[in-house]
Amino acid sequence: MRERSSVGVVCGLLMLVGALLAGCQSPSAGVAEDGRLGEPATGTSAAVSPSATRPSGYGAVFLAVDECSSFGTTSFTEVPCAGERAAARVVARHDGAVRDGPRCPATTDFVLHISEQRPASDEDGDGAVPRGYACMRNLQPPHPGDPGGGGGPRTVVGDCVYSSGDGQVRETACDGKGERKPEYRVTRAVAGRADCPGSTALYVRLGGDRPVGCARPL
């Protein structure tokens, strides 16, 4: 009521000064079921001043950095980080496919793949959610992306691996509580195999600017 009263006073003053405006009109925006702002309602137009900014926090951009998702890696929603449904926080967010974009931070627990969507109304009102991926960190332990945690999208120094056959290795928890017992631990990341210490028994592909992991037997 206070906002409506203020608008009415402004309209009245403008009309008395010189009828600079034919009338006062407040734009109304559609609101999605989840409470996010959507497209302007039919028959109205919203003028945006140069100083106007997009809303910050939950809902400004779908799964932006520091926002949170619900449980699940294939079916999930964006939720307030303080809510009881929040499970993980976005630590990095990129458009496009994982294979074409930047790598997730080393301690990422898992990656959410976001399919392109073009709903009638979305989180920022442009009618589209581009294809992309979000690098996620669990709000509560366990953190499989931590060194030795036995999971995560990247193998890092401190991780343990076991031989899965055909010259391939897979990550497993260093504490031995995973499905497979650890056989090697990655002790160093280097630019080339020649830079590994003499105790190295296995070379693990890590990627990045130091793509070779030097692993010793356990």
Side-chain angles (χ1 to χ4, degrees):
M1 293 300 293
R2 186 171 300 172
E3 289 185 2
R4 293 183 179 177
S5 297
S6 299
V7 172
V9 170
V10 172
C11 290
L13 289 175
L14 290 176
M15 292 176 66
L16 290 174
V17 170
L20 295 178
L21 297 175
C24 284
Q25 180 177 336
S26 61
S28 60
V31 180
E33 292 181 359
D34 59 1
R36 303 176 186 173
L37 292 178
E39 296 287 338
T42 304
T44 65
S45 61
V48 180
S49 65
S51 61
T53 58
R54 293 168 67 180
S56 61
Y58 167 60
V61 176
F62 184 66
L63 287 181
V65 173
D66 285 335
E67 292 180 348
C68 294
S69 75
S70 61
F71 293 90
T73 57
T74 57
S75 178
F76 56 89
T77 57
E78 180 185 309
V79 296
C81 290
E84 61 181 11
R85 296 180 60 205
R89 186 185 302 272
V90 181
V91 295
R93 172 75 156 83
H94 304 288
D95 292 337
V98 173
R99 64 178 179 273
D100 301 324
R103 304 173 76 207
C104 283
T107 55
T108 298
D109 287 331
F110 63 95
V111 177
L112 290 181
H113 299 270
I114 302 168
S115 301
E116 183 177 11
Q117 303 175 34
R118 297 186 178 276
S121 62
D122 70 336
E123 71 288 336
D124 59 5
D126 68 358
V129 176
R131 180 187 181 190
Y133 58 98
C135 309
M136 309 299 296
R137 175 83 172 170
N138 292 330
L139 294 179
Q140 302 292 334
H143 295 290
D146 284 351
R154 292 180 54 181
T155 301
V156 298
V157 173
D159 279 340
C160 292
V161 297
Y162 67 92
S163 175
S164 61
D166 298 329
Q168 302 294 317
V169 295
R170 294 186 181 277
E171 191 176 331
T172 188
C174 289
D175 60 10
K177 295 181 180 180
E179 294 183 2
R180 297 291 299 269
K181 298 295 183 181
E183 298 175 356
Y184 305 89
R185 185 192 296 269
V186 180
T187 59
R188 189 177 301 182
V190 297
R193 292 189 176 188
D195 298 321
C196 285
S199 59
T200 300
L202 181 73
Y203 302 99
V204 181
R205 183 181 301 174
L206 304 180
D209 56 353
R210 293 185 176 183
V212 178
C214 314
R216 63 175 178 80
L218 295 175

